[in-house]
Amino acid sequence: MSETRVFLLPDLGEGLTEAELVSWHVAVGDSIEVDQPIAEVETAKSAVEVPSPYAGIVAELHGKPGETLDVGKPLISVTPISSGAGVSADDAVPAEPAQPAVVPAETELAEPKPANAEAEAYREEEKAGSGNVLIGYGTPGGHAAAKRTRLPKASVSVLEPAETRPADKAADDLTLLRTRVPGKLGAVISPLVRRMAREHGVDLGELHGSGESGLIMRRDVEKAISAPVVEPAETKPAALVKPVETKPAPVVEPAETKETQGRDARTGLAISSRTPVRGVRKVVAATMSRSRSEIPEATVWVDVDATGLMELREGMKAGGAAVPGLLAFIARFVTAGLKKYPELNTRIESAEDGSQEIVGFDGVNLGIAAQTDRGLVVPSVRSAEKLSARELDAEIRRLTDVAREGKATPTELGSGTFTLNNYGVFGVDGSAAIINHPEVAILGVGRIIDKPWVVNGELAVRKVTELTLTFDHRVCDGGTAAGFLRFVADAIENPTTLLADI
């Protein structure tokens, strides 16, 4: 019987050191395939499925749902199946008398392969595939349902993976980095496809896969080899891109609450529960604490007559056109304001000698604060200054949806340069928000309500909201912050004029 292999919890990106085990997709005794999803884990960034790099029988599950596991610790133990066991009659390949039996690997085209040297080389690369992938991620396609089977009594020799040359492995790893789909643990290219592309000089980074989640298949490489010219993929504006349909996020049980009969020494009251601070809540707590301790912040605010913006949207609705949400218009004004006042779209970096630099950016990644069941997260619209109000509206909705499903990628959650926070949806007028470190400013928008307002010397009822800007006093003074806030307020009050200029 083959030696049991232990798969360690991989680094799930962004240097995260732990993850909460949400659920197992397999059980002890199940037969699993290479790259089959075996468990769902939740990190401080998102919920992801972890694929197995090994095929065989599940020998042990190292953890229970709800437990927090450290990266690098055992996740699952798998006992490999000898190549003659667990294969259906349709899939089996007759073994030659003096040769070890080889189980044919599943190909993209689902065609049986002859038991020749090429087929054996393919099998060897497929066996080595997941072991070569970075941070434990596997290749897609291993989504077969788990099936229970008994370990075979007799063991048949299995071909070991062929040794990979260092240069080829380095090239494969580089290709993998360029072609892995963010947020999709399984969306990587199989070793066979990578080898075929390398031998024919095909740049996988330029291909658009036809497989699930954009996976580059063998047929995509063959098409690129046969085609003399590869036309660039058509790029559509963000507003016209239909959000990717995703499966509903699995129900996650509330954080484990430990009942206790103890009594609090300070208050004298009985302690009813203890809730561990972990996951997103742990990251939010750390970020907010660091922001408060490092950033000398100041806050300015202004009441704004939003009647003009509301009337503009009503007029667009009457014309039958698709109308962006109010937040999309405000986001458009914010990006224009940051172009005029770039000091608020920066970051402070400290050197080892204690010196500091203000780092500016050529572009705006606009963070949108979103409240989810997992806590407050801030996915960002990349290069938001290049998008129209309609395009911003589509991207904001998409990011909000994936964030609430726990499927936002680390890049989407960690690349912002300025944050827009719409806390008016909670029915409040204002808030001195905490800056999302390492950014240097955050703009909050309160609810829009009817208020008495003086218009042309007369009292009138207008739609009024409050804008609140919290900024890092190290990067600018009150004049810059007030100028930016006034720019956005004027744009809301006179949207038709300012939209024509920006």
Side-chain angles (χ1 to χ4, degrees), residues 298-343:
T299 304
V300 291
W301 61 90
V302 63
D303 288 337
V304 182
D305 181 2
T307 306
L309 181 57
M310 299 288 285
E311 291 176 347
L312 173 65
R313 292 188 71 250
E314 291 300 322
M316 294 176 67
K317 287 181 180 179
V323 182
L326 287 171
L327 191 63
F329 281 107
I330 296 175
R332 187 71 186 93
F333 302 148
V334 166
T335 58
L338 291 175
K339 183 177 180 180
K340 188 173 182 179
Y341 298 94
E343 297 92 336

Side-chain angles (χ1 to χ4, degrees), residues 37 78-79 93 102 108 118 148 154 159 179 185 203 205 319 331 344 412 434 462:
V78 179
T79 301
V93 176
V102 180
E108 292 88 352
E118 181 181 355
R148 295 192 180 272
L159 290 180
T179 55
L185 294 190
D203 185 356
L344 297 171
E412 289 171 334
I434 299 176
R462 308 288 284 183

